[in-house]
Amino acid sequence: MKSFERDKLLKQSLTPRLFSTVRLIGEFKGKQQLWREQSPQVLKSLRELAIIQSTESSSRIEGVIVAPDRLIKLMAKKTKPADRSESEIAGYRDALATIHGSHEHMPVKPTIIRQLHRDLFKFTSSPGGQWKPTDNEIIERRADGSSAVRFRCVPAAVTPEWVEELCAAFNRLHEQEALDSLLLIPAFVLDFLCIHPFRDGNGRVARLLTLLLLYQAGYEVGRYISLERIIESTKETYYESLNASSRRWHDGKHDLSPWRDYFLGVLLAAYRECEERAGLVTSARGAKRALVVGAIEHGPVEFTIKELERSCPGVSHQMVRLVLDQLRAEHKVKCVGRGPGARWRRIVP
């Protein structure tokens, strides 16, 4: 809980850029109800897609990967996990669903954190929900195959105490309204990752806690836009910012700003994407077109129709083809190759 000691948070440097970012995010927060009223069908489609993308991206960041067709079945609970990776995907799916549905009844305390970890590993043989039994380290894997210790985490013997104190410090400042939630939440997540309380799954639990804390502070964009997908797409910066802000953390002399600024940048990007996609149309048919257009604009430059359909749950094959034909006529996409395996390419201006 080093970020919460000696009034460090209250003394942190608040730059004009930071104030501008917080203000913009606050403005987007104020538009959430309007989006729900004006674009319910779009948001419904976005919500379905975000759950899949969040589960896939947060797991993939940690090297947990499953085949796309299996992912869809697992997310729909139409099949049972067949191996370790699929078991972890199913666990993240359920933990995410718990937050989406019950965040108002999930106070920030160690038992909730352990519950999320337990759910994450409930389909595996790993002892989910238990603090790490031995000391751990964060290892940097280099391109040449070598490795080095990047960060020595809090010892296992004092981990329960540190997590308890972190939760208490966060709740105290939150209840006192001493600092904006947008400054409290990234500090909490950073300290959680520096403590690294579990043997495995710390990154995924941290991202689940991020969604939970944002929900509780009234920032609901993670319901419609996958924050995990944005993090995965900027993974190098994600790790760089964590690395920069964790230096000298044990001494309480670390710099919160690299991680805080990255964290708020992800949130702002999610809100901008949500406004762009929710504001396109309001009709049910238009909502499905918006989902396809958004998936193309925010997905890989090249894709197949089958890959695009997986990114647009609830949209028929005919609608996907119709939108592609329209976009091709507008010179926004082009088809590369022929047959069922033909690839499409987004035309970048």
Side-chain angles (χ1 to χ4, degrees):
M1 67 296 188
K2 292 294 182 178
S3 297
F4 292 81
E5 290 182 347
R6 297 187 293 276
D7 294 330
K8 183 177 182 65
L9 280 174
L10 299 176
K11 296 176 181 177
Q12 64 182 311
S13 175
L14 304 179
T15 64
R17 179 180 177 183
L18 175 63
F19 277 117
S20 177
T21 301
V22 171
R23 178 183 58 80
L24 284 172
I25 294 173
E27 291 177 359
F28 279 123
K29 179 184 178 184
K31 297 177 182 179
Q32 291 173 162
Q33 182 59 35
L34 181 63
W35 294 342
R36 286 192 291 267
E37 294 173 354
Q38 293 187 346
S39 306
Q41 292 297 325
V42 174
L43 293 184
K44 181 178 183 296
S45 296
L46 289 179
R47 185 168 64 247
E48 294 170 354
L49 177 59
I51 292 173
I52 296 173
Q53 290 182 334
S54 292
T55 301
E56 181 178 31
S57 290
S58 193
S59 301
R60 193 159 51 198
I61 290 171
E62 309 301 332
V64 178
I65 301 172
V66 301
D69 59 332
R70 291 290 299 169
L71 174 69
I72 298 300
K73 291 179 180 178
L74 286 166
M75 295 303 298
K77 296 186 177 182
K78 292 183 177 180
T79 187
K80 294 182 178 179
D83 56 27
R84 170 75 185 210
S85 292
E86 291 190 2
S87 295
E88 293 187 20
I89 288 285
Y92 197 92
R93 172 202 68 198
D94 287 359
L96 194 63
T98 298
I99 292 175
H100 282 311
S102 306
H103 57 88
E104 295 178 350
H105 309 291
M106 299 175 68
V108 181
K109 58 183 183 179
T111 53
I112 294 298
I113 295 175
R114 293 176 64 184
Q115 174 190 331
L116 291 174
H117 189 263
R118 180 201 67 204
D119 289 351
L120 180 61
F121 289 98
K122 69 180 182 180
F123 295 106
T124 75
S125 59
S126 296
Q130 297 182 20
W131 303 128
K132 60 189 178 187
T134 57
D135 296 351
N136 54 1
E137 301 168 334
I138 298 177
I139 306 297
E140 177 184 356
R141 308 291 181 184
R142 298 182 178 130
D144 62 2
S146 63
S147 62
V149 176
R150 187 181 70 75
F151 187 82
R152 298 188 185 279
C153 309
V154 169
V158 296
T159 287
E161 173 188 344
W162 280 56
V163 175
E164 186 79 45
E165 292 180 0
L166 172 60
C167 293
F170 174 87
N171 288 324
R172 182 169 58 253
L173 287 181
H174 178 70
E175 291 167 4
Q176 292 174 352
E177 298 184 350
L179 204 63
D180 192 289
S181 294
L182 292 179
L183 303 181
L184 281 176
I185 295 172
F188 179 93
V189 174
L190 174 69
D191 282 15
F192 174 85
L193 287 170
C194 287
I195 295 172
H196 235 59
F198 302 109
R199 185 176 63 180
D200 188 21
N202 293 283
R204 281 166 285 175
V205 173
R207 291 185 284 276
L208 289 167
L209 288 170
T210 294
L211 182 65
L212 174 63
L213 295 178
L214 287 172
Y215 263 151
Q216 293 178 345
Y219 299 95
E220 300 181 8
V221 68
R223 184 185 295 275
Y224 309 111
I225 300 296
S226 170
L227 301 177
E228 295 92 333
R229 174 180 55 79
I230 297 175
I231 291 172
E232 184 191 16
S233 69
T234 56
K235 187 165 64 172
E236 288 189 8
T237 308
Y238 170 69
Y239 285 123
E240 288 170 359
S241 64
L242 282 173
N243 185 25
S245 286
S246 62
R247 292 176 190 145
R248 304 195 70 184
W249 180 85
H250 286 283
D251 301 324
K253 297 180 180 180
H254 57 296
D255 181 6
L256 280 161
S257 59
W259 166 247
R260 179 198 64 203
D261 293 347
Y262 171 80
F263 183 98
L264 295 179
V266 168
L267 188 59
L268 183 58
Y271 267 116
R272 283 174 169 160
E273 182 179 337
C274 191
E275 180 176 62
E276 175 187 347
R277 300 179 71 175
L280 288 175
V281 284
T282 57
S283 69
R285 183 178 179 83
K288 294 183 183 297
R289 184 183 190 280
L291 186 61
V292 177
V293 171
I296 293 171
E297 291 179 346
H298 299 284
V301 174
E302 283 198 8
F303 54 90
T304 65
I305 289 181
K306 188 173 182 179
E307 290 169 344
L308 183 58
E309 289 174 348
R310 284 197 293 265
S311 298
C312 303
V315 181
S316 68
H317 176 77
Q318 291 78 8
M319 174 59 77
V320 170
R321 286 306 305 256
L322 175 63
V323 175
L324 282 173
D325 289 341
Q326 292 172 345
L327 294 178
R328 179 164 54 181
E330 297 169 6
H331 304 290
K332 294 181 178 178
V333 299
K334 63 180 179 180
C335 185
V336 182
R338 295 183 178 181
R343 300 193 67 80
W344 289 73
R345 181 178 299 158
R346 184 176 75 246
I347 299 175
V348 181

